[in-house]
Amino acid sequence: MEKSELELNEEVLRKLEDIKNSCQSLVEKIGQLQVDLFDHPDKDLERSLDKLNNDFSKNHAHISEICGIFEQKVS
């Protein structure tokens, strides 16, 4: 049995939300690691984590925007 357009759109939206949640989780984990480094500084790792955090934060913002747009299409 084929899925309806609504079912397909809802499935896409769930996957987009999952990607958004994964990005958020990565930002949080990087932040925790950055805090852990306060006691044992490593400048190279800190720079790398800053870049990762910025990249994942931008990706999270972008996927959030996409989710919002797609949500309007589904509803």
Side-chain angles (χ1 to χ4, degrees):
M1 178 199 243
E2 284 190 38
K3 294 180 181 179
S4 70
E5 185 174 342
L6 178 60
E7 289 171 322
L8 288 173
N9 285 341
E10 288 172 342
E11 185 176 327
V12 168
L13 185 58
R14 280 192 304 274
K15 289 177 181 178
L16 288 170
E17 290 288 340
D18 186 46
I19 293 168
K20 182 177 85 169
N21 293 337
S22 294
C23 283
Q24 178 64 35
S25 178
L26 289 168
V27 168
E28 291 170 4
K29 288 176 183 177
I30 291 169
Q32 291 169 352
L33 188 53
Q34 288 172 314
V35 169
D36 292 346
L37 286 175
F38 285 147
D39 293 332
H40 304 285
D42 181 325
K43 293 298 178 194
D44 292 331
L45 182 56
E46 288 173 22
R47 277 192 296 277
S48 295
L49 290 174
D50 282 342
K51 182 177 179 345
L52 279 173
N53 198 13
N54 288 334
D55 291 348
F56 284 127
S57 293
K58 288 177 186 175
N59 288 338
H60 182 265
H62 187 73
I63 194 69
S64 294
E65 183 181 322
I66 292 168
C67 284
I69 292 167
F70 199 79
E71 252 177 354
Q72 290 176 351
K73 288 182 181 181
V74 172
S75 45

Coordinates of all heavy atoms in Angstrom, one line a residue:
M1 N 0.8 -1.2 0.0 CA 0.0 0.0 0.0 C 0.9 1.2 0.0 O 1.8 1.4 0.8 CB -0.9 0.0 1.2 CG -1.8 1.2 1.3 SD -2.4 1.4 3.0 CE -4.1 1.3 2.9
E2 N 0.6 2.2 -0.9 CA 1.4 3.4 -1.0 C 1.0 4.4 0.1 O -0.1 4.4 0.5 CB 1.2 4.0 -2.4 CG 1.9 3.4 -3.5 CD 1.9 4.2 -4.8 OE1 1.9 5.4 -4.7 OE2 1.7 3.6 -5.8
K3 N 2.0 5.1 0.5 CA 1.7 6.2 1.5 C 1.1 7.4 0.8 O 1.4 7.7 -0.3 CB 3.0 6.6 2.2 CG 3.7 5.5 3.0 CD 4.9 6.0 3.7 CE 5.6 4.9 4.5 NZ 6.8 5.3 5.1
S4 N 0.3 8.0 1.6 CA -0.3 9.3 1.1 C 0.7 10.4 1.1 O 1.7 10.3 1.8 CB -1.6 9.7 1.9 OG -1.2 10.1 3.2
E5 N 0.4 11.5 0.4 CA 1.3 12.6 0.4 C 1.5 13.1 1.9 O 2.6 13.5 2.3 CB 0.8 13.7 -0.5 CG 1.8 14.9 -0.6 CD 1.4 15.9 -1.6 OE1 0.5 15.6 -2.5 OE2 1.9 17.0 -1.6
L6 N 0.4 13.2 2.6 CA 0.4 13.6 4.0 C 1.3 12.7 4.8 O 2.2 13.2 5.6 CB -1.0 13.7 4.6 CG -1.0 14.1 6.1 CD1 -0.5 15.5 6.2 CD2 -2.5 14.1 6.6
E7 N 1.2 11.4 4.7 CA 2.1 10.5 5.4 C 3.5 10.7 5.1 O 4.4 10.7 6.0 CB 1.6 9.0 5.2 CG 0.3 8.7 5.8 CD -0.2 7.3 5.3 OE1 0.0 7.0 4.1 OE2 -0.7 6.6 6.2
L8 N 3.8 10.9 3.8 CA 5.2 11.1 3.4 C 5.7 12.4 3.9 O 6.9 12.4 4.4 CB 5.3 11.1 1.8 CG 5.1 9.8 1.1 CD1 5.0 10.0 -0.4 CD2 6.2 8.8 1.5
N9 N 4.9 13.4 3.9 CA 5.4 14.7 4.5 C 5.6 14.6 6.0 O 6.6 15.2 6.5 CB 4.3 15.8 4.1 CG 4.4 16.2 2.7 OD1 5.4 16.0 2.0 ND2 3.3 16.9 2.2
E10 N 4.7 13.9 6.7 CA 4.9 13.7 8.1 C 6.2 12.9 8.4 O 6.9 13.2 9.4 CB 3.7 13.1 8.7 CG 2.5 14.0 8.8 CD 1.2 13.2 9.2 OE1 1.2 12.0 9.1 OE2 0.3 13.9 9.6
E11 N 6.5 12.0 7.6 CA 7.7 11.2 7.7 C 8.9 12.1 7.5 O 9.9 12.0 8.3 CB 7.7 10.0 6.8 CG 8.9 9.1 6.9 CD 8.8 7.9 6.0 OE1 7.7 7.4 5.7 OE2 9.9 7.4 5.6
V12 N 8.9 12.9 6.5 CA 10.0 13.8 6.2 C 10.2 14.8 7.4 O 11.3 15.0 7.8 CB 9.8 14.6 4.9 CG1 10.8 15.7 4.7 CG2 9.9 13.6 3.7
L13 N 9.1 15.3 7.9 CA 9.1 16.2 9.0 C 9.8 15.5 10.3 O 10.6 16.1 11.0 CB 7.8 16.8 9.3 CG 7.7 17.8 10.4 CD1 8.6 19.0 10.1 CD2 6.3 18.3 10.6
R14 N 9.4 14.3 10.5 CA 10.0 13.6 11.7 C 11.5 13.4 11.5 O 12.2 13.6 12.5 CB 9.3 12.2 11.8 CG 8.0 12.2 12.5 CD 7.5 10.8 12.9 NE 7.4 9.9 11.8 CZ 6.4 9.7 11.0 NH1 5.3 10.5 11.1 NH2 6.4 8.9 10.0
K15 N 11.9 13.1 10.3 CA 13.3 13.0 10.0 C 14.1 14.3 10.2 O 15.2 14.3 10.7 CB 13.6 12.3 8.7 CG 13.2 10.9 8.6 CD 13.3 10.3 7.2 CE 12.9 8.8 7.2 NZ 13.0 8.2 5.9
L16 N 13.5 15.4 9.7 CA 14.1 16.7 9.9 C 14.2 17.0 11.3 O 15.2 17.6 11.8 CB 13.2 17.7 9.1 CG 13.3 17.8 7.6 CD1 12.3 18.7 7.0 CD2 14.7 18.1 7.1
E17 N 13.1 16.7 12.1 CA 13.2 17.0 13.6 C 14.3 16.2 14.2 O 15.0 16.6 15.1 CB 11.8 16.7 14.2 CG 10.7 17.7 13.8 CD 10.9 19.0 14.5 OE1 11.6 19.1 15.5 OE2 10.3 20.0 14.0
D18 N 14.5 14.9 13.8 CA 15.5 14.1 14.3 C 16.9 14.7 14.0 O 17.8 14.7 14.9 CB 15.4 12.7 13.7 CG 16.4 11.7 14.4 OD1 16.5 11.7 15.6 OD2 17.0 10.9 13.6
I19 N 17.1 15.2 12.8 CA 18.4 15.8 12.5 C 18.6 17.1 13.4 O 19.7 17.3 13.9 CB 18.4 16.2 11.0 CG1 18.4 14.9 10.1 CG2 19.6 17.1 10.7 CD1 18.1 15.2 8.6
K20 N 17.5 17.8 13.5 CA 17.6 19.0 14.4 C 18.0 18.7 15.8 O 18.9 19.3 16.4 CB 16.3 19.8 14.4 CG 16.3 21.1 15.2 CD 15.0 21.8 15.1 CE 14.0 21.3 16.1 NZ 12.8 22.1 16.3
N21 N 17.4 17.6 16.3 CA 17.7 17.2 17.7 C 19.1 16.6 17.8 O 19.8 16.8 18.8 CB 16.7 16.1 18.2 CG 15.3 16.7 18.3 OD1 15.1 17.8 18.5 ND2 14.3 15.8 18.2
S22 N 19.6 16.0 16.8 CA 20.9 15.5 16.8 C 21.9 16.6 16.8 O 22.9 16.6 17.5 CB 21.2 14.6 15.5 OG 20.4 13.4 15.6
C23 N 21.7 17.7 16.0 CA 22.5 18.9 16.0 C 22.6 19.5 17.4 O 23.6 19.9 17.9 CB 22.1 19.9 15.0 SG 22.5 19.5 13.3
Q24 N 21.4 19.6 18.0 CA 21.3 20.2 19.3 C 22.1 19.4 20.3 O 22.8 19.9 21.2 CB 19.8 20.3 19.8 CG 19.7 20.8 21.2 CD 20.1 22.3 21.3 OE1 20.0 23.1 20.4 NE2 20.7 22.6 22.5
S25 N 22.0 18.1 20.2 CA 22.7 17.2 21.1 C 24.2 17.3 21.0 O 25.0 17.4 21.9 CB 22.3 15.7 20.9 OG 23.0 14.9 21.7
L26 N 24.7 17.5 19.7 CA 26.1 17.7 19.5 C 26.6 19.0 20.0 O 27.7 19.0 20.6 CB 26.4 17.6 18.0 CG 26.3 16.2 17.3 CD1 26.3 16.3 15.8 CD2 27.4 15.3 17.8
V27 N 25.8 20.0 19.9 CA 26.2 21.3 20.5 C 26.3 21.2 22.0 O 27.3 21.7 22.6 CB 25.2 22.4 20.1 CG1 25.4 23.7 20.9 CG2 25.2 22.7 18.6
E28 N 25.4 20.5 22.6 CA 25.4 20.4 24.1 C 26.6 19.5 24.5 O 27.3 19.9 25.5 CB 24.2 19.7 24.6 CG 22.9 20.6 24.4 CD 21.6 19.9 24.7 OE1 21.6 18.7 25.1 OE2 20.6 20.6 24.5
K29 N 26.9 18.5 23.8 CA 28.1 17.6 24.1 C 29.4 18.3 24.0 O 30.3 18.2 24.8 CB 28.1 16.3 23.3 CG 26.9 15.4 23.7 CD 26.9 14.2 22.8 CE 25.7 13.3 23.3 NZ 25.5 12.1 22.5
I30 N 29.5 19.1 22.9 CA 30.7 19.9 22.7 C 30.9 20.9 23.8 O 32.0 21.1 24.3 CB 30.7 20.6 21.3 CG1 30.9 19.5 20.2 CG2 31.8 21.6 21.2 CD1 30.6 20.1 18.8
G31 N 29.8 21.5 24.2 CA 29.8 22.5 25.3 C 30.3 21.9 26.6 O 31.1 22.4 27.3
Q32 N 29.8 20.7 26.9 CA 30.2 19.9 28.1 C 31.7 19.6 28.0 O 32.4 19.8 29.0 CB 29.4 18.6 28.2 CG 28.0 18.8 28.5 CD 27.2 17.5 28.4 OE1 27.6 16.5 27.9 NE2 25.9 17.6 28.8
L33 N 32.2 19.2 26.8 CA 33.6 19.0 26.7 C 34.5 20.2 26.9 O 35.5 20.2 27.5 CB 33.9 18.3 25.3 CG 35.3 17.8 25.0 CD1 35.7 16.8 26.1 CD2 35.3 17.1 23.7
Q34 N 34.0 21.3 26.4 CA 34.7 22.6 26.5 C 34.8 23.0 28.0 O 35.8 23.4 28.5 CB 34.0 23.7 25.8 CG 34.2 23.6 24.3 CD 33.3 24.6 23.5 OE1 32.1 24.8 23.7 NE2 33.9 25.2 22.5
V35 N 33.7 22.7 28.8 CA 33.7 23.0 30.2 C 34.7 22.1 30.9 O 35.5 22.5 31.8 CB 32.3 22.8 30.8 CG1 32.4 22.8 32.4 CG2 31.4 23.9 30.3
D36 N 34.8 20.8 30.5 CA 35.7 19.9 31.1 C 37.2 20.3 30.8 O 38.0 20.0 31.7 CB 35.5 18.5 30.5 CG 34.2 17.8 30.9 OD1 33.6 18.3 31.8 OD2 33.8 16.8 30.2
L37 N 37.4 21.0 29.7 CA 38.8 21.4 29.4 C 39.2 22.6 30.3 O 40.4 23.0 30.2 CB 38.9 21.8 27.9 CG 38.9 20.6 27.0 CD1 38.9 21.1 25.5 CD2 40.1 19.8 27.2
F38 N 38.4 23.2 31.0 CA 38.8 24.3 31.9 C 39.9 23.9 32.9 O 40.8 24.6 33.2 CB 37.6 24.9 32.7 CG 36.7 25.8 31.8 CD1 35.3 25.8 32.1 CD2 37.2 26.6 30.8 CE1 34.5 26.6 31.4 CE2 36.3 27.4 30.1 CZ 35.0 27.4 30.4
D39 N 39.7 22.7 33.4 CA 40.7 22.2 34.3 C 42.0 21.7 33.7 O 43.0 21.6 34.3 CB 40.1 21.0 35.2 CG 39.0 21.5 36.1 OD1 39.0 22.7 36.4 OD2 38.1 20.7 36.4
H40 N 41.9 21.3 32.4 CA 43.1 20.7 31.7 C 43.1 21.4 30.3 O 42.7 20.7 29.3 CB 43.0 19.2 31.6 CG 42.9 18.5 32.9 ND1 43.9 18.4 33.7 CD2 41.8 18.0 33.5 CE1 43.5 17.8 34.8 NE2 42.2 17.5 34.7
P41 N 43.5 22.6 30.2 CA 43.4 23.4 28.9 C 44.3 22.7 27.8 O 45.3 22.1 28.1 CB 44.0 24.7 29.2 CG 43.9 24.9 30.7 CD 44.0 23.5 31.3
D42 N 43.7 22.7 26.6 CA 44.4 22.2 25.4 C 44.0 23.2 24.3 O 42.9 23.1 23.8 CB 44.0 20.8 25.1 CG 44.7 20.2 23.9 OD1 44.9 21.0 22.9 OD2 45.0 19.0 23.9
K43 N 44.9 24.1 24.0 CA 44.5 25.2 23.1 C 44.1 24.7 21.7 O 43.1 25.2 21.1 CB 45.6 26.2 22.9 CG 45.9 27.0 24.2 CD 44.7 27.8 24.6 CE 44.9 28.6 25.9 NZ 43.7 29.1 26.4
D44 N 44.8 23.7 21.2 CA 44.5 23.1 19.9 C 43.1 22.5 19.9 O 42.3 22.7 19.0 CB 45.5 22.1 19.4 CG 46.8 22.7 19.1 OD1 46.9 23.9 18.7 OD2 47.9 22.0 19.3
L45 N 42.8 21.7 20.9 CA 41.5 21.1 21.0 C 40.4 22.1 21.2 O 39.3 22.0 20.6 CB 41.5 20.1 22.1 CG 40.2 19.3 22.3 CD1 39.8 18.5 21.1 CD2 40.4 18.3 23.5
E46 N 40.7 23.1 22.0 CA 39.7 24.2 22.3 C 39.3 24.9 21.0 O 38.2 25.2 20.7 CB 40.2 25.2 23.3 CG 40.3 24.6 24.7 CD 41.0 25.6 25.7 OE1 41.1 26.8 25.4 OE2 41.4 25.0 26.7
R47 N 40.3 25.2 20.1 CA 40.1 25.9 18.8 C 39.2 25.0 18.0 O 38.3 25.4 17.3 CB 41.4 26.2 18.1 CG 42.0 27.5 18.6 CD 43.1 28.0 17.7 NE 44.2 27.1 17.7 CZ 45.2 27.0 18.6 NH1 45.2 27.9 19.6 NH2 46.2 26.2 18.5
S48 N 39.6 23.7 17.9 CA 38.8 22.7 17.1 C 37.4 22.6 17.6 O 36.4 22.6 16.8 CB 39.5 21.3 17.1 OG 40.7 21.4 16.5
L49 N 37.2 22.6 18.9 CA 35.8 22.5 19.5 C 35.0 23.7 19.2 O 33.8 23.7 19.0 CB 35.9 22.2 21.0 CG 36.4 20.8 21.4 CD1 36.6 20.6 22.9 CD2 35.5 19.7 20.8
D50 N 35.7 24.9 19.3 CA 35.0 26.1 19.0 C 34.5 26.1 17.6 O 33.3 26.5 17.3 CB 35.9 27.3 19.2 CG 36.1 27.7 20.6 OD1 35.3 27.3 21.5 OD2 37.1 28.5 20.9
K51 N 35.3 25.7 16.6 CA 34.9 25.6 15.2 C 33.7 24.6 15.1 O 32.7 24.9 14.4 CB 36.1 25.2 14.3 CG 35.6 25.1 12.9 CD 36.8 24.8 11.9 CE 36.4 24.7 10.5 NZ 35.0 24.7 10.1
L52 N 33.9 23.4 15.7 CA 32.8 22.5 15.6 C 31.5 23.0 16.2 O 30.4 22.9 15.6 CB 33.1 21.2 16.4 CG 34.0 20.2 15.7 CD1 34.4 19.1 16.6 CD2 33.3 19.6 14.4
N53 N 31.6 23.7 17.3 CA 30.4 24.2 18.0 C 29.8 25.3 17.1 O 28.5 25.3 17.0 CB 30.8 24.8 19.4 CG 29.6 25.0 20.3 OD1 28.6 24.5 20.0 ND2 29.9 25.8 21.3
N54 N 30.6 26.1 16.5 CA 30.0 27.2 15.6 C 29.3 26.5 14.4 O 28.2 26.9 14.0 CB 31.1 28.1 15.2 CG 31.5 29.1 16.3 OD1 30.8 29.4 17.2 ND2 32.8 29.5 16.2
D55 N 30.0 25.5 13.8 CA 29.4 24.9 12.7 C 28.1 24.2 13.0 O 27.1 24.3 12.3 CB 30.4 23.8 12.1 CG 31.6 24.5 11.4 OD1 31.6 25.7 11.2 OD2 32.6 23.7 11.2
F56 N 28.1 23.4 14.1 CA 26.9 22.7 14.5 C 25.8 23.7 14.9 O 24.6 23.4 14.6 CB 27.1 21.7 15.6 CG 27.8 20.4 15.1 CD1 29.0 20.0 15.8 CD2 27.3 19.7 14.1 CE1 29.6 18.8 15.3 CE2 27.9 18.5 13.7 CZ 29.1 18.1 14.3
S57 N 26.1 24.8 15.5 CA 25.1 25.8 15.9 C 24.5 26.4 14.6 O 23.3 26.6 14.6 CB 25.8 26.9 16.7 OG 26.2 26.4 18.0
K58 N 25.3 26.7 13.6 CA 24.8 27.2 12.4 C 23.9 26.1 11.7 O 22.8 26.5 11.2 CB 25.9 27.6 11.4 CG 26.6 28.8 11.9 CD 27.8 29.1 10.9 CE 28.6 30.3 11.4 NZ 29.8 30.5 10.6
N59 N 24.3 24.9 11.7 CA 23.5 23.8 11.1 C 22.2 23.7 11.9 O 21.2 23.4 11.2 CB 24.3 22.5 11.1 CG 25.4 22.5 10.1 OD1 25.4 23.2 9.2 ND2 26.4 21.6 10.4
H60 N 22.3 23.8 13.2 CA 21.0 23.6 14.0 C 20.1 24.8 13.6 O 18.9 24.5 13.4 CB 21.4 23.6 15.5 CG 20.1 23.5 16.3 ND1 19.5 24.6 16.9 CD2 19.5 22.4 16.7 CE1 18.4 24.1 17.6 NE2 18.4 22.8 17.5
A61 N 20.6 26.0 13.5 CA 19.7 27.1 13.1 C 19.1 26.9 11.8 O 17.9 27.2 11.5 CB 20.5 28.4 13.2
H62 N 19.9 26.4 10.8 CA 19.5 26.2 9.5 C 18.4 25.1 9.4 O 17.4 25.3 8.8 CB 20.7 25.9 8.6 CG 20.3 25.8 7.1 ND1 20.1 26.9 6.4 CD2 20.2 24.7 6.3 CE1 19.8 26.5 5.1 NE2 19.8 25.2 5.1
I63 N 18.6 24.0 10.1 CA 17.7 22.9 10.0 C 16.4 23.3 10.8 O 15.3 22.9 10.4 CB 18.3 21.6 10.6 CG1 17.4 20.4 10.2 CG2 18.5 21.6 12.1 CD1 17.3 20.0 8.8
S64 N 16.5 24.1 11.8 CA 15.3 24.6 12.5 C 14.5 25.5 11.5 O 13.2 25.4 11.5 CB 15.7 25.5 13.7 OG 16.3 24.7 14.7
E65 N 15.1 26.3 10.8 CA 14.4 27.1 9.8 C 13.7 26.2 8.7 O 12.6 26.4 8.4 CB 15.4 28.0 9.1 CG 14.8 29.0 8.1 CD 15.9 29.8 7.4 OE1 16.9 30.2 8.1 OE2 15.8 30.1 6.2
I66 N 14.5 25.2 8.3 CA 13.9 24.3 7.3 C 12.7 23.6 7.9 O 11.6 23.4 7.2 CB 14.9 23.3 6.8 CG1 16.0 24.0 6.0 CG2 14.3 22.1 6.0 CD1 17.2 23.1 5.7
C67 N 12.8 23.1 9.1 CA 11.7 22.4 9.8 C 10.5 23.4 9.9 O 9.3 22.9 9.6 CB 12.1 22.0 11.2 SG 13.1 20.6 11.3
G68 N 10.7 24.6 10.2 CA 9.6 25.6 10.3 C 8.9 25.7 9.0 O 7.6 25.7 9.0
I69 N 9.6 25.9 8.0 CA 9.1 26.0 6.6 C 8.3 24.8 6.2 O 7.1 24.8 5.7 CB 10.1 26.4 5.6 CG1 10.7 27.7 5.9 CG2 9.6 26.2 4.2 CD1 12.0 28.0 5.1
F70 N 8.9 23.6 6.5 CA 8.2 22.4 6.1 C 7.0 22.1 6.9 O 6.0 21.6 6.4 CB 9.2 21.2 6.1 CG 8.8 20.0 5.3 CD1 9.0 20.0 4.0 CD2 8.2 18.9 6.0 CE1 8.5 18.9 3.2 CE2 7.8 17.8 5.2 CZ 7.9 17.8 3.8
E71 N 7.1 22.5 8.2 CA 5.9 22.3 9.1 C 4.7 23.0 8.5 O 3.6 22.5 8.6 CB 6.2 22.8 10.5 CG 6.4 21.8 11.5 CD 6.8 22.3 12.8 OE1 7.0 23.6 13.0 OE2 6.8 21.5 13.8
Q72 N 4.9 24.2 8.0 CA 3.8 25.0 7.4 C 3.2 24.3 6.2 O 2.0 24.4 6.0 CB 4.3 26.4 7.0 CG 4.7 27.3 8.2 CD 5.3 28.6 7.8 OE1 5.6 28.8 6.6 NE2 5.4 29.5 8.8
K73 N 4.1 23.6 5.4 CA 3.6 22.9 4.3 C 2.7 21.7 4.7 O 1.8 21.4 4.0 CB 4.7 22.4 3.4 CG 5.5 23.4 2.7 CD 6.6 22.8 1.8 CE 7.3 23.9 1.0 NZ 8.4 23.2 0.2
V74 N 3.1 21.1 5.8 CA 2.4 19.9 6.2 C 1.1 20.2 6.9 O 0.1 19.5 6.7 CB 3.3 19.0 7.2 CG1 2.5 17.9 7.8 CG2 4.5 18.5 6.5
S75 N 1.0 21.4 7.6 CA -0.2 21.7 8.3 C -1.2 22.4 7.5 O -1.1 22.6 6.4 CB 0.1 22.5 9.6 OG 1.0 23.5 9.3

